[in-house]
Amino acid sequence: MKSSPRDQIRLGVDFAWDEIRIVAMRPIGAQRAEVSMLDRIALDVHADREGMFTDASAVVQRLQPWVKRNRLEGAPCVFSVPNESAYFAWADDLPEGQDGLTAGRYMLKRQHPRMSGDAYVTVARPNVTGAAVVLGAERGPLAQRANLLERAGLIPAGAETEAQAILRIIQRHLNRGTGAHPHRTSLFGYVGRGRTNLLVVQRGRLSYLRSARVGTGKLEETVARAMDLTPDAAASILFSPRSRIIRGSHVLIDGDLAGQIDITEPLEVFAKEFRRLMAYLRSLHPDQSHLGMVDVVVLMGRINALRGFDQALADHLHVQLETVDPTIGLTLSLPETAFARYREHGSQYAVAVGLATAPYHPQAAVHLEDSHHENATHRAA
């Protein structure tokens, strides 16, 4: 039977703190795919610290009309699991099959005591030989998101942690031969509105992961107070081509030197989280601190739309800093309005792009009824 165009679409659904970001990939030929859709859905409810939405029905009410409007009922999707409810550990010589899962669960529980006993666990093997990565995710956020996607009309075919999706973008970045060389220590920061995902890649593999409760929200609030605007209106101005950072600590809007806004405090709070992690990495090698030195910091997220922010942060951290386009190496086939959205805020779709490019079976579904079905949680990054 010939598949329909809808069946060929691969959706990446990123549940951010205050919105859903969706990217659609369509295959072109046997080995390539193009980005055919890029959209966001604002939410009236927010996710809590564990990634649980306070009102799942309200999320469905926003998502379902979008699915129907775009005629995507029954389309398969891969969705994000928040890093706050996820765990990982590298393991050498992990056995295959159920024994490997059992050993992996024990390892995760020992390294992450707060992980609950009914968390989902799976083992991903990036290479045929060598170390495996054990991944765990709490049942609550994963089950809630899979169920609300089904209620909205989509088929949850897979789930990945935000870190897995970001790592897929990072891998393409590394393959391009940029400053984030696989043999160097790179600190990647995916900046959201309420939090920032920090990932450290050493010698080509993830070595550290944490989420910091800082993001663009503090910058938006500072601009909102200075201009007597709502945070959303301030964000529209802050991340528009009208704005840029000057003197490393002030936002200049429309070239109005008299009305420049001092962002020293939120910028310092932001930089402090990066410095704290960089200091921790050095502390792991007290006798050879150079082994914990970060060679390059790479930024992703909406923050890249604020001109001059990367240089301002680099000056604070005294380290090389780069930005990443999440669609690097991909073909774009977007309507004019979607392309304009991508040009302005493309970097904040990094997780959604990583999810949409995940390998999975379109006919598969994430089944959550069986608490012993370990493989229903993640696809390998």
Side-chain angles (χ1 to χ4, degrees):
M1 173 185 267
K2 187 176 181 180
S3 61
S4 68
R6 180 198 62 192
D7 296 329
Q8 296 176 9
I9 289 178
R10 295 178 292 176
L11 293 178
V13 182
D14 173 26
F15 290 96
W17 179 68
D18 58 350
E19 66 181 17
I20 302 173
R21 301 179 189 129
I22 303 175
V23 168
M25 300 290 296
R26 190 186 303 275
I28 48 174
Q31 302 295 329
R32 298 178 59 203
E34 65 180 15
V35 179
S36 59
M37 181 185 295
L38 181 148
D39 208 349
R40 58 181 290 273
I41 303 170
L43 298 177
D44 296 323
V45 296
H46 297 159
D48 62 20
R49 293 180 68 91
E50 283 70 43
M52 294 288 293
F53 287 103
T54 54
D55 187 352
S57 295
V59 179
V60 174
Q61 290 170 7
R62 283 300 185 95
L63 180 58
Q64 191 175 56
W66 182 93
V67 172
K68 292 182 178 180
R69 185 168 62 252
N70 290 281
R71 300 179 180 179
L72 288 170
E73 296 95 330
C77 65
V78 177
F79 63 94
S80 64
V81 177
N83 285 342
E84 288 89 342
S85 64
Y87 316 91
F88 88 98
W90 287 94
D92 295 310
D93 302 321
L94 201 66
E96 301 281 350
Q98 186 61 43
D99 289 343
L101 286 173
T102 302
R105 178 180 289 278
Y106 174 79
M107 178 180 297
L108 279 181
K109 187 65 176 175
R110 186 176 60 184
Q111 293 190 21
H112 305 280
R114 71 186 185 93
M115 187 182 83
S116 65
D118 66 346
Y120 286 97
V121 175
T122 190
V123 176
R125 300 180 187 274
N127 302 303
V128 177
T129 59
V133 59
V134 185
L135 298 157
E138 295 294 351
R139 178 177 300 272
L142 197 154
Q144 184 190 60
R145 296 177 183 204
N147 290 333
L148 68 84
L149 285 168
E150 287 184 338
R151 291 167 59 189
L154 297 174
I155 298 176
E160 288 192 345
T161 63
E162 295 165 335
Q164 286 176 275
I166 294 171
L167 282 171
R168 190 168 292 110
I169 304 298
I170 291 173
Q171 188 59 54
R172 288 207 305 272
H173 182 66
L174 295 174
N175 291 341
R176 301 280 293 193
T178 61
H181 192 275
H183 297 297
R184 302 171 70 183
T185 298
S186 304
L187 170 55
F188 292 83
Y190 179 70
V191 184
R193 195 170 198 175
R195 62 188 173 91
T196 296
N197 286 319
L198 299 169
L199 302 89
V200 178
V201 176
Q202 294 178 302
R203 293 178 294 280
R205 75 190 230 180
L206 180 68
S207 64
Y208 189 84
L209 163 69
R210 69 180 292 259
S211 290
R213 303 299 291 187
V214 296
T216 62
K218 294 294 183 182
L219 291 169
E220 295 164 15
E221 291 170 6
T222 300
V223 173
R225 287 194 300 269
M227 302 184 68
D228 194 22
L229 298 171
T230 65
D232 286 342
S236 297
I237 294 175
L238 184 63
F239 299 112
S240 73
R242 300 166 51 189
S243 303
R244 61 187 175 93
I245 292 182
I246 61 172
R247 306 205 320 270
S249 60
H250 289 70
V251 172
L252 181 67
I253 299 173
D254 286 336
D256 182 9
L257 292 173
Q260 55 187 287
I261 301 169
D262 187 352
I263 59 167
T264 301
E265 182 179 351
L267 182 59
E268 177 57 31
V269 170
F270 194 86
K272 182 179 179 180
E273 291 296 332
F274 281 81
R275 283 198 296 264
R276 179 182 300 173
L277 178 52
M278 293 165 70
Y280 168 74
L281 294 174
R282 289 194 299 272
S283 73
L284 297 178
H285 306 277
D287 298 326
Q288 295 176 295
S289 61
H290 67 279
L291 296 178
M293 295 291 289
V294 171
D295 298 297
V296 60
V297 172
V298 184
L299 283 184
M300 292 178 282
R302 192 180 189 184
I303 195 66
N304 287 347
L306 178 54
R307 294 182 297 167
F309 181 85
D310 53 348
Q311 187 58 55
L313 183 61
D315 292 342
H316 273 71
L317 301 179
H318 305 292
V319 69
Q320 177 186 344
L321 195 144
E322 299 178 354
T323 58
V324 167
D325 178 357
T327 61
I328 187 170
L330 300 175
T331 301
L332 299 179
S333 179
L334 299 171
E336 184 175 350
T337 54
F339 187 75
R341 188 183 305 116
Y342 160 76
R343 286 288 300 272
E344 186 175 356
H345 305 302
S347 188
Q348 68 178 315
Y349 288 89
V351 171
V353 171
L355 295 170
T357 53
Y360 70 99
H361 299 291
Q363 288 77 26
V366 176
H367 299 292
L368 300 170
E369 295 81 11
D370 183 0
S371 62
H372 301 290
H373 190 101
E374 303 284 3
N375 290 317
T377 311
H378 304 285
R379 303 295 183 222

